[in-house]
Amino acid sequence: MDLTVGHALIHPRHGLVTITGRSTRTTPAGDVEFLTLTVRASAMDIQIPVANVELVGLRKVVDDEGLQTILDALSRPPTDDPSNWSRRFKNYETKLGSGDPRQIAELVRSISDRQRARKVSAGEKRLFLSGREMLVNELSQHPGVGGLEKAERLIEEKLSS
C-alpha cells in the first residue's frame, strides 16, 4: 500500500483520509514512525503508527471491481432488516463500523427504502447520512466517477432504481 504524503486511503470509521505527514517519535520502546491522516469529512487529524496501518484497517480506495460491487449493492433490493428498532439499529451500526463498502452500501440502500415506506428514527437518519457521505467520498476518488457531484448523482440514481 502506498503510504506517501498526499495519497488517499479509506479508514474504516472515518472514511476518506489523506496522508498529510510522516513523523518519528521516540518512545520507551524505541523510535516509532507515525502517519498523520486528515479526515476529509471533518478536517480532523489523526495519527497512526505505520506498523499499525493494517491493524487499524486502512485500505486503498476501491478499484473497478469494488466500484461495481458498491453499485450492485445500491441497486439490489434491501435485505430483510429486523423489525425491532434496537436490533435493526445495532445491525446498521455494525455495517457502518465495518468499513466494508459493500456493507455500507447495503445500509444506505436499506435505510433509503425504509425512509420511502415510513418514517425512520433520527439515529437511523444519522447512520444513513454518515454511510452515504462515506460512499460519496470514496466513489469521488475513483477515476471512472470523476468527482463529488458525479458520485452523489450516481448514488442517487442507483437508490431511485
Side-chain angles (χ1 to χ4, degrees), residues 13-144:
R13 285 275 180 198
H14 301 291
L16 185 64
V17 296
T18 304
I19 301 172
T20 55
R22 289 181 79 118
S23 60
T24 303
R25 291 190 204 158
T26 303
T27 67
D31 288 347
V32 179
E33 190 173 9
F34 283 83
L35 292 176
T36 301
L37 307 170
T38 301
V39 179
R40 177 77 52 94
S42 64
M44 173 178 68
D45 285 340
I46 53 178
Q47 291 192 327
I48 298 174
V50 172
N52 292 354
V53 164
E54 288 185 26
L55 180 66
V56 168
L58 284 177
R59 63 176 175 78
K60 296 179 197 178
V61 175
V62 292
D63 55 10
D64 291 339
E65 183 179 326
L67 174 65
Q68 193 57 50
T69 300
I70 291 171
L71 297 178
D72 289 346
L74 288 171
S75 300
R76 198 173 303 132
T79 57
D80 288 334
D81 293 321
S83 59
N84 178 291
W85 178 85
S86 63
R87 286 191 183 121
R88 187 173 62 246
F89 190 79
K90 186 174 228 165
N91 184 26
Y92 291 156
E93 283 185 314
T94 302
K95 285 183 177 191
L96 186 63
S98 73
D100 178 4
R102 182 187 51 78
Q103 288 191 21
I104 294 171
E106 288 173 0
L107 157 101
V108 169
R109 180 60 181 206
S110 292
I111 297 176
S112 175
D113 283 355
R114 186 170 273 284
Q115 278 180 317
R116 278 190 225 122
R118 62 185 80 72
K119 287 191 172 191
V120 296
S121 70
E124 288 172 311
K125 284 181 186 175
R126 188 173 18 86
L127 291 176
F128 170 78
L129 292 173
S130 294
R132 187 179 178 285
E133 181 178 23
M134 289 175 89
L135 287 178
V136 166
N137 283 330
E138 182 159 4
L139 294 183
S140 72
Q141 296 300 300
H142 190 279

